[in-house]
Amino acid sequence: EVQLVESGGGLVQPGGSLRLSCAASGFTFSSYSMNWVRQAPGKGLEWVSYISGSSSTKYYADSVKGRFTISRDNAKNSLYLQMNSLRAEDTAVYYCARDRRGSYFLDFQYWGQGTLVTVSS
Amino acid sequence: EIVLTQSPATLSLSPGERATLSCRASQSVSSNLAWYQQKPGQAPRLLIYDASNRVTGIPARFSGSGSGTDFTLTISTLEPEDFAVYYCQQRGNFGGGTKVEIK
């Protein structure tokens, strides 16, 4: 059974940093690209970042480019999101999501339960 | 950048009725479009991929159609558990969502 479990969310001050983690199990982690998707309170879904299975390709939403860094450790079956220079508008539930079909940037079949990041003073 | 526009924003229907949700892309996305269902407090669930392919385990009352710029998600007969928010998605782009609520 595919499982994705996020951790690392919490309350952080504007300008601060936070590192999210996503522990994956139930599939060959290195064979699939992964994504971070967020959802601000009461709002819709916003894709944040993509990383290919080998980490050779990374994409970011314009809203986080230069501030967030996606990475993965295939030996540890883990995905990460380093978030720096956080702003109030980054407040959201952050989901990790696995691509449905290998290392393609198409659609997201498996999702974690999400971790809440709150940016506030 | 591709913009996905969903309509209507809210659809008020009764159980047993047919729901038709629209997603329009600002430029052609071929058939690379997916649909998700999200219920309060839950992660999104992938329903349809490649515009018209149902994910294993998704009931047959859910169907997708379209290509290019115009796409439709149809729920043939609404069940109580279908009242939720639905999103279309193409790569790094999500639509704004359609809330299907009980009339």
Side-chain angles (χ1 to χ4, degrees), chain A residues 1-2 24-34 53 72 74 77 98-99 102-103:
Chain A
E1 178 193 4
V2 173
S25 61
F27 64 101
T28 304
F29 185 66
S30 60
S31 295
Y32 290 85
S33 50
M34 298 292 296
R72 64 191 294 160
N74 288 342
N77 290 345
R98 196 204 84 175
D99 272 23
S103 209

Side-chain angles (χ1 to χ4, degrees), chain B residues 40-96:
Chain B
Q42 296 184 16
R45 177 173 70 149
L46 178 64
L47 302 174
I48 302 286
Y49 64 92
D50 292 346
S52 61
N53 293 288
R54 225 174 8 255
V55 173
T56 301
I58 299 302
R61 63 181 181 272
F62 291 92
S63 64
S65 63
S67 65
T69 60
D70 290 305
F71 300 87
T72 301
L73 175 69
T74 301
I75 311 171
S76 58
T77 306
L78 279 166
E79 297 289 341
E81 62 268 26
D82 299 335
F83 291 92
V85 180
Y86 293 83
Y87 296 94
C88 59
Q89 173 255 338
Q90 183 271 339
R91 291 170 64 95
N93 306 291
F94 281 96

Side-chain angles (χ1 to χ4, degrees), chain A residues 4 19-22 24 27-37 47-61 64 68-75 77-82 95-108, chain B residues 91-92:
Chain A
L4 300 171
R19 188 195 197 205
L20 305 184
S21 299
C22 172
F27 64 101
T28 304
F29 185 66
S30 60
S31 295
Y32 290 85
S33 50
M34 298 292 296
N35 300 266
W36 288 100
V37 177
W47 170 81
V48 173
S49 187
Y50 162 95
I51 186 169
S52 63
S54 65
S55 301
S56 59
T57 302
K58 301 177 184 180
Y59 301 126
Y60 297 93
V64 307
F68 290 11
T69 302
I70 192 170
S71 63
R72 64 191 294 160
D73 185 335
N74 288 342
N77 290 345
S78 292
L79 174 72
Y80 307 101
L81 186 68
Q82 177 67 43
Y95 296 100
C96 65
R98 196 204 84 175
D99 272 23
R100 172 181 55 85
R101 184 186 157 204
S103 209
Y104 295 85
F105 188 15
L106 289 175
D107 38 63
F108 315 140
Chain B
R91 291 170 64 95

